[in-house]
Amino acid sequence: MTQSAEPKSKLLTFEEYLAYDDGTDTQYELVDGELVEMPPEAPENSELARFLLFELAKHVSLTLLTHKDIEIETIGRRARCRLPDLMVHTEESYTALAGATRGTITRDMPPPALVIEIVSPGSTNRARDYRHKRTEYAARGISEYWIVDPETRQVTVCKWVDGQYEDAIFSGGHRIESEVIPSFDLTIDRLFAMGR
């Protein structure tokens, strides 16, 4: 569940968001100029993210993988910045962060190759991952966006084609098919059993 940290009357610019420090370790996303607190993940979501990270590391250099530590400026009515659960850099997006003091991919930097979000319970969270982030990541030209849904036990792979996403939904014994990581061979059943 997410909460706005600032009163609605105080909308931040992207630059104000980058400079914001409330003296805590609280993580935020910026949504239409509002700070939205990102509470700790549900244990199942954390386990899924870790398991996916280790599976991705079998196919992608560790330097190109991120786990909740690189944020990405997205496009919306007002300033927006998202903190994906997992991300796979392109060489260009990784290089663009060289020497940066903050792990933020701004809109003037190349986009990553792949963003993965694990859906948290609740209708607000579902709408955020399936609708809002989907639109924002497509607008940034991110090649693939995976929506990992523990509730439905499926993965939606959104592939960027001619300026928009086309979806493929995988469940059961089907393996996740990715153009970004064609050798990825994890089945949905194995993912939700978390390798057991």
Side-chain angles (χ1 to χ4, degrees), residues 64 87-98 105 109-113:
L64 298 179
M87 190 182 328
V88 176
H89 279 291
T90 61
E91 290 290 340
E92 294 79 12
S93 66
Y94 176 75
T95 301
L97 288 172
I105 298 174
M109 294 176 174

Side-chain angles (χ1 to χ4, degrees), residues 146-167:
W146 297 4
I147 305 168
V148 178
D149 193 334
E151 185 178 316
T152 62
R153 298 180 67 82
Q154 66 185 26
V155 174
T156 303
V157 174
C158 308
K159 295 179 183 179
W160 199 73
V161 178
D162 297 326
Q164 62 184 1
Y165 280 139
E166 292 181 2
D167 298 351

